[in-house]
Amino acid sequence: MSARDPLHEFQDVYRPSERPPVFAGVPELNFLMLDGTGDPNPSTVYRTAVEALCSAP
């Protein structure tokens, strides 16, 4: 199963337009985030979390 791509699936919501502004109906979507502080580069915890997110189906 491939991941959903909201930028492609909902182009009318995420892409700029020359049309006048309108209220857009955006469906409910799920998101994941990593939370932390400091420099993530030397952190093995951060690296492990990013690897887990990127390897998820």
Side-chain angles (χ1 to χ4, degrees), residues 5-16 19:
D5 181 5
L7 292 178
H8 179 73
E9 193 172 340
F10 306 108
Q11 290 184 18
D12 56 326
V13 174
Y14 287 100
R15 302 279 187 218
R19 295 179 297 177

Side-chain angles (χ1 to χ4, degrees), residues 16-39:
S17 171
E18 293 190 18
R19 295 179 297 177
V22 296
F23 285 100
V26 180
E28 188 172 312
L29 300 169
N30 294 320
F31 293 92
L32 296 173
M33 70 171 238
L34 300 175
D35 193 16
T37 60
D39 183 2

Side-chain angles (χ1 to χ4, degrees), residues 34-52:
L34 300 175
D35 193 16
T37 60
D39 183 2
N41 292 322
S43 172
T44 56
V45 173
Y46 177 77
R47 185 174 342 143
T48 303
V50 169
E51 288 173 357

